[in-house]
Amino acid sequence: MANTRGPRATRVSFLVPFVGIKQQLREGLPWKSIAVLALLMVASVILRCSGWCPACLTTGAPGRMLLVANLLMTFILLVPQGIPAELMLLFIGAVCSLAGILTSKELFQGCASDAVVTLALLFPIMKAMGDTGVPERFIGCMLGSAKGPYSLIIRMFFSVAILSGVFNNTPIVVMMIPLLQSLCLRQGVPSPAVLMPLSFAAQAGGSLTKMGSSINFVADEVFRANGYGIGFFTLTLGCIFICLLGGAYCAMMGPKVLMPVSDAVESSASRGGTNLFKVAFCPSEDGPLVGQSLEDLGLHRIPGVEEITLHRWHDVELVEAGVVDSNATAQSLQLEDSLYARCSAEGVAQLRRVRGLELCNDDELNLLGSKRRQRCLCEAAVKETLHGQRVSLRRFKRKLRCAVVAVRSGAESVESEWREGFEGYEIQYGDVLLIEAFQEMFGSEPWLEHFSVTRRVPDSEPPRRGTKADDLRAIFIVVGLLIMIIIASGGKRAPSLPLMAVIFLCGIIAVKGLSLPEAYQEVNGPVLLTIVGALALGRAMELSGLANCLATALVALTRPLGAGAVKLGIYLATVGLGQFLNSAANVAIMGKIAIPIAHSMEIAVGEMALVVTYAASACYTAPYGYQTNTLVLRAGGYVWGDFVKFGGILQLLHMLLVVSMAGWWAKFSP
């Protein structure tokens, strides 16, 4: 063992290499950003000592303005380095409070704002709505008959934009990525041609209603004090034009610009696998699959699916149509048919996501009861303790808390048979069971007794649909959401949106659409604290005079070119700042700059509010400027240049549309 008693002894770690303090300081801190901030602080001290006072400073003191300017630059430089935005904003607010720029009440005033309260309630409501499967059904209906990339993109764009108007767009994109990847594989369309338009659709649709994005609530909080409040449908008119522009551009240019040079479609189906299960599926009565041929369904292109065979039992002769039989794939699927799939465990999980396709033994799995979010698929190798025993659904449910989906024989000489149910199946030593089980059972004593090896299948939670309770719960949540929207948008005398959201959330918990712990878990604390800190920073910029000075500088640059150039400058500044800042913080900062510009240039405040809000909601040229772009970055295999190449033109078109039409939209919007 190493001697560690001497004064020069080195510290030894058997887990990870020990990193000294000097190395941590050298590699762990953003020294370039710190150097820039140090130079800015030195320059600020020199200016303050020289008695410098800008002509634009009508209120506040030069020292306070310089302090807020340095804090703003600290935020812009350090947040891209990985420091949490909410932490930096609250720190900046605290420093401003200590410097006497803000009072303690002003620092935390955002906690009581309608924007923060409403968003805190909408997060769990939207989670419950997503769990009903209604958004997925809506998307499935819209995309079900799409043929080819152009039709697929245009249908996807407008359906996602509509959903983003009432849902937070981040979970919409998370839900859509695997669905679109599966659909693209089935139709032979490369997914990169569709995933970036998916992110742009979610951003565009976020302005369809006030509850579509947190940006809208912050904009309302900033501009309402200056006479322009953003109502529930204030942004809808402009959003319709933006969605038409974005949908047309993505449908026309997506397949041309984003199609990969090499054919990446076939990378999904690595044929010739050995660890395959034989699983029986059947079409659901209300699904879109009945009447389509196997080739059109494209199920054989799904990752992990080796072969799909159609079995028609009412014919005298069994009809088999596999992927190797190109003539038989023209057979159309009927309600009485069964689809037999040879696929991996991951392939089973993917097939279960196909709308209108169910396992033939779904009734056996339903015996596990509710709490489907706590279950997943699992491969389990059988021990000798189960050899010769027959599957008992009730015993498996009670003792092992699982149900059998498929069986793969452990003996090489024994071919697994096709089964549409597993009650009474005789288990053999060496069998590998594909089971749906509660995740808490992993490592439990009953499993250790009966299973030698277990493997959890990733992303294999069962879909929440099919039972009467699910349907009734979905109806309650959908109707309740519509009622909440209608009442909250009824005018000044109507109950406020936060009040209606409280009542509705209590109803959702009462009908078990969401449990109370799940509701707490869905509240996105970082987003809410970011809004609180951003509002405090915006207030500090206003009180210190920094917002007025920045507005004066921008007006001086653009005034000779007219009001249109001023709006253009505000748009470019908002989009540029959005590459580094959280969107909510961006709106809070640029809103405080745009308001004095509107007054000095005699531009309607509503016009400026729409320019800032729409610009902050559109980040098409950078993968990290908006969360939905980051989500599709890896899934689509994009690089930064892809966003610049495809999104740059759309950003330019969006800018021209917003700057030229904002005045008309502000005039006619409710």
Side-chain angles (χ1 to χ4, degrees), residues 86 89-90 106-125 168 210-211 213-222 497-499 501-502 505 522-536 582 584-585 588:
E86 66 275 13
L89 286 169
L90 291 175
E106 288 173 326
L107 173 59
F108 299 107
Q109 191 172 7
C111 295
S113 69
D114 282 354
V116 172
V117 175
T118 304
L119 281 172
L121 296 168
L122 285 179
F123 282 129
I125 289 175
N168 183 285
K210 183 179 178 179
M211 65 187 293
S213 173
S214 60
I215 297 172
N216 307 335
F217 289 96
V218 179
D220 178 50
E221 193 78 21
V222 171
L497 186 58
L499 175 60
V502 169
L505 180 57
E522 289 304 317
V523 176
N524 196 326
V527 170
L528 300 179
L529 291 177
T530 297
I531 295 174
V532 172
L535 293 174
N582 175 278

Side-chain angles (χ1 to χ4, degrees), residues 128-141:
M129 183 67 175
D131 286 345
T132 63
V134 172
E136 187 177 352
R137 293 181 189 180
F138 173 76
I139 294 291
C141 291

Side-chain angles (χ1 to χ4, degrees), residues 271-293:
R271 307 294 180 186
T274 55
N275 298 325
L276 302 178
F277 294 93
K278 292 183 174 180
V279 190
F281 290 87
C282 58
S284 59
E285 295 183 6
D286 56 346
L289 305 184
V290 176
Q292 298 192 48
S293 67

Side-chain angles (χ1 to χ4, degrees), residues 364 388-393 419 421-427:
E364 297 180 356
Q389 297 189 26
R390 296 189 177 273
V391 173
S392 170
L393 300 179
R419 299 182 65 93
F422 291 91
E423 175 71 33
Y425 170 78
E426 185 176 348
I427 302 174

Side-chain angles (χ1 to χ4, degrees), residues 184-185 188-190 262-271 300-301 303:
C184 287
L185 288 167
V189 177
S262 61
D263 187 9
V265 176
E266 287 301 322
S267 63
S268 64
S270 55
R271 307 294 180 186
H300 56 282
R301 300 191 187 98

